[in-house]
Amino acid sequence: PFINPNLKIENSNDKKDALLGINGNLSSSMSFNLSGRYSDINNMNLFGNDSFHIVPINFNVVYDNVQVINGHGELSYQESEDVRFILSADYNHYKPTTQQYAWYKPGMDAKLTWIYKIDEHFTLKADVFVLADRYGLTFSNTDSAVAVKLQTIADFNLGVQYHYTKALSFFINLNNISSQQYQIWYQYPSQGINVLGGFSYAF
């Protein structure tokens, strides 16, 4: 119900894509990864609310030619054989051709991950992430386009994984522990605290 059924589907075309990066070790326990990227994308798919008059508000796709500059940094710290910390962050600058903003694309996102190997079978993982500088597209009651700045999102997740064999493992994740009703998509609050479980098999 939240997607317009009459979407016009088009392919995106990465006309230019240049990446420059460096990675290395600061010490025996700390490593880093830094990179910069420039992309020139034709028909980047962006989503915006369809109309003020449709209830529930649904989304349509908006295509635009967008230049993207991305800066990425990652720092990994291995405290011991069983404990690891990973801090990563991305800065994104979008330059659309016709749209006011690259709708719903984050200008900044960061994540801190903690991984603890309890024993040969159990691994505990926790992460905190932040999404910021996002804009949504909606319409006023006169059907004129309006840009809405969305709130910064900060959330915390916790998960545990059980390695039954080298190929088979089971996991359970507890997401949005603070049970926030933030909006990843405008006027669609996210679920509160929720649990996701499953398994993976490698062959």
Side-chain angles (χ1 to χ4, degrees):
F2 46 85
I3 295 293
N4 187 315
N6 301 313
L7 289 179
K8 182 182 178 182
I9 306 300
E10 298 184 17
N11 291 322
S12 296
N13 178 21
D14 290 10
K15 292 177 60 180
K16 300 175 184 176
D17 193 0
L19 174 67
L20 180 65
I22 184 173
N23 59 68
N25 297 313
L26 299 175
S27 68
S28 59
S29 59
M30 187 174 294
S31 60
F32 70 92
N33 184 355
L34 298 174
S35 65
R37 188 169 196 163
Y38 171 80
S39 303
D40 190 356
I41 305 172
N42 276 9
N43 287 338
M44 175 184 276
N45 56 303
L46 308 169
F47 289 95
N49 294 103
D50 232 3
S51 171
F52 179 84
H53 304 287
I54 298 176
V55 179
I57 290 177
N58 61 14
F59 291 86
N60 207 341
V61 68
V62 179
Y63 292 99
D64 200 359
N65 300 333
V66 183
Q67 295 178 355
V68 185
I69 297 175
N70 167 264
H72 173 79
E74 183 174 307
L75 187 65
S76 176
Y77 175 63
Q78 191 82 37
E79 182 177 331
S80 65
E81 291 186 0
D82 301 326
V83 180
R84 185 182 181 193
F85 295 89
I86 304 172
L87 175 63
S88 62
D90 282 87
Y91 168 79
N92 301 293
H93 175 72
Y94 299 93
K95 187 179 179 181
T97 302
T98 60
Q99 299 296 313
Q100 186 179 359
Y101 297 100
W103 310 114
Y104 294 101
K105 303 292 186 181
M108 189 277 291
D109 64 272
K111 186 177 182 180
L112 175 62
T113 302
W114 171 72
I115 302 171
Y116 175 47
K117 186 178 179 181
I118 301 174
D119 55 31
E120 61 178 301
H121 292 295
F122 286 95
T123 300
L124 189 64
K125 180 179 179 181
D127 58 59
V128 179
F129 69 89
V130 177
L131 292 176
D133 294 333
R134 298 178 306 124
Y135 290 85
L137 170 64
T138 186
F139 291 85
S140 68
N141 54 6
T142 58
D143 278 338
S144 57
V146 176
V148 178
K149 186 169 185 178
L150 301 175
Q151 70 183 97
T152 297
I153 296 173
D155 203 352
F156 174 65
N157 303 321
L158 183 65
V160 61
Q161 188 170 20
Y162 173 67
H163 307 275
Y164 182 70
T165 66
K166 289 184 177 181
L168 178 63
S169 63
F170 300 87
F171 69 89
I172 185 167
N173 295 331
L174 188 61
N175 303 315
N176 194 4
I177 291 179
S178 56
S179 196
Q180 300 181 65
Q181 294 292 303
Y182 51 73
Q183 297 183 20
I184 295 179
W185 305 98
Y186 181 57
Q187 294 196 355
Y188 278 88
S190 64
Q191 292 182 336
I193 188 170
N194 61 92
V195 179
L196 175 66
F199 71 93
S200 63
Y201 184 78
F203 56 89

